[in-house]
Amino acid sequence: SSDILSTAGYDSIIQHLNNGRKNCKEFEDFLKERASIEEKYGKDLLNLSRKKPCGQFEINTLKRALEVFKQQLDNVAQCHIHLAQTLREEARKMEEFREKQKLQRKKTELAMDAVHKQKSLQFKKTMDAKKNYEQKCRDKDEAENALHRNANVVNPKQQEKLFVKLATSKTAVEDSDKAYMTHINALERAREEWQSEHVKACEVFEAQECERINFFRNALWLHMNQLSQQCVTSDDMYEQVRKSLEMCSIEKDIEYFVNQRKTGQTPPAPIMYENFYSPQKNAAPSGKATGPNLA
């Protein structure tokens, strides 16, 4: 800015860097929240897999497929729990990066605050010196004008008093002029130091912002890779279930059931009608009659 006291540009940079830090914090919180969701989901899946019956009375090949299904579901649950741990680790890395940049920036900001204050203080001193110098000049001019107005005054004492006042005002002007020039030179040194520090600060902040954007971009990229890998891993586990289902044979399971539960090779004979009064009914097992034939 053309205004020597303005810090608008510097303030804008600091605001942008603070916003960048907040963005990192938001992503860090996002990862923590996602980790909590993944962990809860994984634990719920684990409980579902281990505690909830699912086809417990199935047999043979379908039973084996269901066992693979339950095992792979357990593995998927463990993967989600592991992903939660990975996401928390990534959130910790983001937090460490954020705090590291904060500490690095603090040194530069303290140096800039110091030169800002020095420049502002010196500017105030310079302006005060300028006002004092201008007032002394006006006092001298007034003394000269008074001496000219009273040039014809015969009173020697009054004339002497005017001369003394003029001489004093001239000395005051010279002194204030020197002080004014001294402050101008000091202000220029403070301005040059501030400008030099400002350039250094901008270089530091630019490097930090490049590093932050790169770190943030890579963190997001890595997060996508982790989620993609989770999908690939889950799909591999689901593929195991599909393969086990491919091995499931309806004919084999039916045959297995029959072999396990069969009760004999011969079906029961037909039940024949027996007349209560028929000779056969009253015949002895040996074939001999045991009483009169009353048929």
Side-chain angles (χ1 to χ4, degrees):
S1 174
S2 58
D3 181 4
I4 192 171
L5 294 180
S6 174
T7 59
Y10 176 78
D11 294 340
S12 179
I13 293 174
I14 293 299
Q15 181 63 44
H16 179 72
L17 294 177
N18 286 335
N19 288 340
R21 186 166 176 268
K22 288 178 182 177
N23 291 338
C24 290
K25 181 67 169 64
E26 288 174 355
F27 184 62
E28 174 191 326
D29 292 340
F30 176 88
L31 289 176
K32 290 179 180 178
E33 187 69 22
R34 178 66 188 265
S36 298
I37 293 172
E38 290 290 342
E39 184 175 50
K40 183 178 183 304
Y41 179 60
K43 288 182 177 179
D44 288 346
L45 275 183
L46 213 57
N47 288 332
L48 179 65
S49 170
R50 295 179 178 179
K51 297 180 180 180
K52 189 70 174 177
C54 182
Q56 60 180 325
F57 299 119
E58 282 297 343
I59 59 172
N60 205 31
T61 60
L62 184 55
K63 178 181 180 180
R64 288 195 291 272
L66 286 171
E67 288 172 351
V68 173
F69 164 68
K70 293 292 290 291
Q71 180 59 52
Q72 296 306 323
L73 184 62
D74 190 290
N75 291 340
V76 169
Q78 295 288 1
C79 282
H80 281 282
I81 294 173
H82 178 71
L83 177 60
Q85 296 170 347
T86 302
L87 295 181
R88 287 196 176 95
E89 179 64 20
E90 293 305 316
R92 185 188 63 79
K93 291 178 182 177
M94 179 62 77
E95 181 181 12
E96 288 179 352
F97 173 78
R98 191 167 48 79
E99 290 302 315
K100 183 192 74 172
Q101 282 211 328
K102 179 184 176 182
L103 292 176
Q104 290 174 341
R105 275 177 48 200
K106 195 67 178 175
K107 298 176 183 178
T108 304
E109 289 184 45
L110 289 174
M112 283 300 295
D113 288 343
V115 293
H116 276 316
K117 290 178 181 178
Q118 178 63 25
K119 181 187 65 171
S120 298
L121 180 62
Q122 189 56 50
F123 179 79
K124 183 179 183 302
K125 289 180 179 179
T126 301
M127 293 301 102
D128 290 343
K130 180 182 180 182
K131 289 179 182 178
N132 183 60
Y133 164 69
E134 291 174 346
Q135 184 60 48
K136 296 304 180 185
C137 289
R138 284 191 289 268
D139 292 343
K140 181 184 77 67
D141 292 344
E142 179 61 30
E144 287 178 344
N145 292 333
L147 184 61
H148 289 310
R149 286 195 303 270
N150 296 281
N152 297 325
V153 175
V154 181
N155 190 337
K157 287 185 178 181
Q158 191 173 359
Q159 285 282 352
E160 183 181 358
K161 185 178 181 181
L162 291 172
F163 276 115
V164 170
K165 185 176 180 180
L166 178 59
T168 302
S169 64
K170 285 182 178 180
T171 303
V173 166
E174 292 175 357
D175 292 342
S176 63
D177 181 62
K178 290 179 181 177
Y180 179 35
M181 287 299 298
T182 299
H183 283 295
I184 284 289
N185 293 332
L187 177 59
E188 178 58 18
R189 289 193 297 271
R191 188 195 67 80
E192 290 177 350
E193 182 183 3
W194 165 81
Q195 185 167 314
S196 175
E197 287 296 326
H198 196 288
V199 171
K200 292 178 183 177
C202 286
E203 290 173 349
V204 170
F205 293 155
E206 182 179 2
Q208 274 207 329
E209 184 64 0
C210 290
E211 184 183 16
R212 187 193 69 82
I213 292 174
N214 184 61
F215 189 87
F216 199 157
R217 186 187 71 93
N218 290 343
L220 190 56
W221 192 296
L222 178 61
H223 182 54
M224 294 301 100
N225 286 346
Q226 290 165 344
L227 296 182
S228 294
Q229 183 59 47
Q230 175 70 20
C231 293
V232 171
T233 303
S234 297
D235 189 64
D236 287 342
M237 295 171 183
Y238 298 146
E239 180 64 20
Q240 296 300 317
V241 179
R242 287 191 288 266
K243 288 180 178 179
S244 68
L245 290 172
E246 287 176 354
M247 301 299 294
C248 177
S249 169
I250 299 174
E251 293 79 7
K252 288 183 179 180
D253 285 4
I254 297 297
E255 183 180 354
Y256 178 84
F257 170 75
V258 170
N259 291 332
Q260 287 290 316
R261 300 300 179 88
K262 64 185 178 181
T263 55
Q265 296 292 333
T266 306
I271 303 298
M272 305 303 293
Y273 169 75
E274 295 182 1
N275 189 289
F276 181 79
Y277 299 103
S278 68
Q280 290 84 355
K281 181 175 179 61
N282 294 315
S286 60
K288 296 180 180 178
T290 57
N293 185 354
L294 300 179

